[in-house]
């Protein structure tokens, strides 16, 4: 995993720079997302190292419908295909999104709660996190009933555990020490 991220990083940076220069960050996000889904399919993954499959065939397979074969994104895919790096597309897409969020002063925050957050709670949490991190916030929410109550907020470099389960674990650790 770490090696694929290392290999994917220069491709993701190149994709970001090409998209940014063209003012096409959202379009490249969509195209990379599509290509990453295709690349993640096990049936397609086996084709990436098959010498009988030509690079232009790999590009055509990963190209979103309606996109021209000579578009900058297609040329980018061509470079990946020539070097047999199509399997890196999921990591390239994830890193590209990270670069995009940074350029747009956004922060992806993963929020896991014991019960589903309603729209008002999500907006209130988003506003609080925006004040704390001084960036636009993109919330990714999930539910984990084992938390018992409360939320766990993962902002990448910082994790805030406000769950009942987390409090009980901390209390248990304090009592045993």
């Amino acid at each position: 995993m770490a090696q694929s991220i290392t290999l994917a990083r220069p491709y993701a940076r190149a994709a970001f720079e090409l998209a940014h220069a063209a003012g096409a960050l959202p379009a490249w996000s969509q195209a990379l997302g599509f290509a990453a889904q295709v690349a993640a399919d096990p049936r397609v993954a086996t084709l990436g190292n098959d010498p009988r499959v030509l690079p232009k065939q790999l590009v055509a397979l990963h190209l979103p419908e309606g996109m021209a074969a000579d578009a900058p994104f297609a040329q980018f895919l061509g470079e990946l295909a020539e070097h047999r790096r199509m399997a890196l597309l999921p990591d390239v897409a994830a890193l590209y999104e990270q670069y995009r969020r940074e350029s747009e002063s956004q922060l992806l925050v993963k929020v896991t709660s014991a019960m589903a957050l309603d729209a008002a709670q999500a907006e209130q949490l988003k506003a609080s996190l925006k004040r704390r991190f001084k960036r636009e916030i993109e919330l990714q929410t999930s539910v984990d009933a084992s938390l018992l109550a409360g939320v766990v907020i993962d902002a990448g470099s910082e994790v805030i555990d406000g769950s009942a389960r987390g409090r009980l674990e901390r209390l248990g650790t304090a009592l045993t020490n």
Side-chain angles (χ1 to χ4, degrees):
M1 174 77 179
Q3 183 180 3
S4 67
I5 292 288
T6 301
L7 292 172
R9 191 169 285 119
Y11 292 106
R13 177 56 68 188
F16 174 77
E17 289 174 4
L18 288 167
H20 192 268
L25 290 174
W28 275 67
S29 282
Q30 286 184 316
L32 275 169
F34 174 82
Q37 282 183 322
V38 171
D41 186 312
R43 296 169 296 179
V44 175
T46 60
L47 298 174
N49 292 321
D50 188 335
R52 297 171 296 175
V53 179
L54 299 174
K56 69 179 184 178
Q57 292 172 312
L58 288 172
V59 170
L61 190 60
H62 291 79
L63 209 56
E65 189 175 330
M67 186 175 285
D70 63 347
F73 183 74
Q75 293 170 0
F76 171 75
L77 287 179
E79 284 297 313
L80 285 170
E82 284 292 330
H83 295 96
R84 298 289 177 185
R85 299 282 197 214
M86 298 302 265
L88 294 176
L89 276 166
D91 290 332
V92 170
L95 288 166
Y96 173 90
E97 289 303 320
Q98 183 180 332
Y99 296 145
R100 179 178 171 196
R101 278 192 296 277
E102 288 171 8
S103 78
E104 295 171 345
S105 294
Q106 289 186 349
L107 179 63
L108 175 63
V109 178
K110 297 174 185 171
V111 177
T112 307
S113 57
M115 296 182 296
L117 299 176
D118 63 32
Q121 290 169 321
E123 284 305 312
Q124 184 179 12
L125 182 58
K126 211 172 176 179
S128 295
L129 292 169
K130 183 177 179 178
R131 283 191 303 276
R132 180 181 181 126
F133 293 107
K134 296 174 180 42
R135 295 170 81 181
E136 292 300 315
I137 302 296
E138 179 185 335
L139 281 186
Q140 187 179 68
T141 60
S142 62
V143 176
D144 180 356
S146 72
L147 294 178
L148 305 175
V151 297
V152 176
I153 300 168
D154 181 351
S157 62
E158 187 174 341
V159 176
I160 304 165
D161 188 348
S163 68
R165 181 179 71 192
R167 290 183 195 143
L168 289 170
E169 287 172 0
R170 287 189 296 276
L171 178 63
T173 302
L175 291 173
T176 58
N177 290 335

